[in-house]
Amino acid sequence: MRPPIDAGTILITGASSGIGRELARQLARRARTLVLVARREERLEAVRDELLQHNPTLGVMVERCDLAHVEEVDSLLDSLHRHLVRVDVLVNNAGLGDYSLYEQESWSRIHQMLQVNVTAPLLLIHRLMRRMVEHGRGGILNISSGVARTFVPGMSVYAATKYFLDGFTESLRLELHGTGVVVTQVAPGPVDTEFRDVAGSRERAGRPPKWMRISAAQCAREAIEGFERGAPLVYPGLAYRWMMRLSSLMPRGVLRASGLPAAKQLRYGTSLLEPAHPDTGRRVLLAGGPEGT
Ligand SMILES: NC(=O)c1ccc[n+]([C@@H]2O[C@H](COP(=O)([O-])OP(=O)(O)OC[C@H]3O[C@@H](n4cnc5c(N)ncnc54)[C@H](OP(=O)(O)O)[C@@H]3O)[C@@H](O)[C@H]2O)c1
């Protein structure tokens, strides 16, 4: 069973940059209509203009929407309804992370991550899936993350949102067995996009090794290939895929231990090998970090 990509109507959240923009570029060659969703409207319009240059017959709808606000998601759904747009494939790609000790994280940022990474995909699926089931065809592509399979100090909320999406997507997939609706989860490792700038982890956490990183174009290509195969879970990138397969065999205790150096580095600004202060026995806390309510 294949998702109705060809001549279908595909809604992509987070289409203004990174993986979402690449998914739009690659799906534009086959879809009839794309609905591009994000906050930066001018970016979406630039993507639309680029797509129309290559595919003049493609229908492209630009929908400015802040997915952190449920009422804006409702307005988006109303707009689709008003324009008689029937979504065949939903791509929940928009998402954001943050890199901080939990107690230093602002509540508004935590709330934003929960809304964009969890609530918005759930709401969109809830509103759009029923028609797919009734018609016996449809597709849901959820862009999760490899962090949903491990422990990541400094990204505890982000990781938790992706754990949620992981459990939800796998369970939903079982519920939809035999209905004609394809559900696939993509769990990328490091992809070269704006993600790390938004999360503030580019300077603070260092760069992941080159062998692990892939381009947004490769991520999008492998995501679509996996979706078309009806794969439950896609790890894009050969090296990352093997690393995730091996790490899935590791006991939980090993995963915990492997995260400890990064946790120490984040909290004390030092590695496990560095000695504590000779007088206090304590390590220096990182200064600063976001404040908030
Ligand atoms: N890059 C990686 O290393 C990596 C690894 C694993 C998983 N992922 C996942 O991949 C997905 C795409 O991320 P990316 O790497 O392509 O990052 P990106 O370049 O930062 O793109 C994120 C997209 O999400 C949109 N977005 C963020 N907040 C939004 C909001 N409140 N309302 C509407 N749209 C919003 C952004 O659009 P606007 O800013 O215009 O609203 C943008 O289009 C995310 O779910 C991320 O968790 C990324």
Side-chain angles (χ1 to χ4, degrees), residues 14-20 38-40 65-68 93-96 116 143-145 158 162 188-191 193-195 198:
S16 61
S17 82
I19 300 166
R39 289 166 304 180
R40 288 172 291 178
C65 174
D66 187 340
L67 296 165
N93 161 77
L96 74 154
V116 177
I143 311 298
S144 162
S145 168
Y158 174 70
K162 297 299 186 177
V191 183
T193 66
E194 295 170 15
F195 179 83
V198 175

Side-chain angles (χ1 to χ4, degrees), residues 204-284:
R204 301 188 73 194
R207 236 179 158 202
K210 196 163 186 288
W211 61 264
M212 219 197 264
R213 299 195 320 260
I214 59 171
S215 67
Q218 181 182 350
C219 182
R221 190 171 57 250
E222 293 190 30
I224 295 168
E225 282 167 8
F227 191 33
E228 293 228 85
R229 285 198 308 275
L233 175 64
V234 178
Y235 292 122
L238 185 66
Y240 190 71
R241 184 154 52 249
W242 276 102
M243 199 185 87
M244 292 310 287
R245 281 179 185 161
L246 288 175
S247 79
S248 70
L249 304 173
M250 283 183 194
R252 214 170 156 91
V254 175
L255 289 180
R256 276 189 207 114
S258 67
L260 208 51
K264 295 256 180 185
Q265 178 70 37
L266 179 64
R267 181 165 293 279
Y268 304 115
T270 179
S271 77
L272 272 178
L273 301 174
E274 242 172 287
H277 190 280
D279 299 331
T280 62
R282 296 206 56 203
R283 298 168 204 267
V284 184

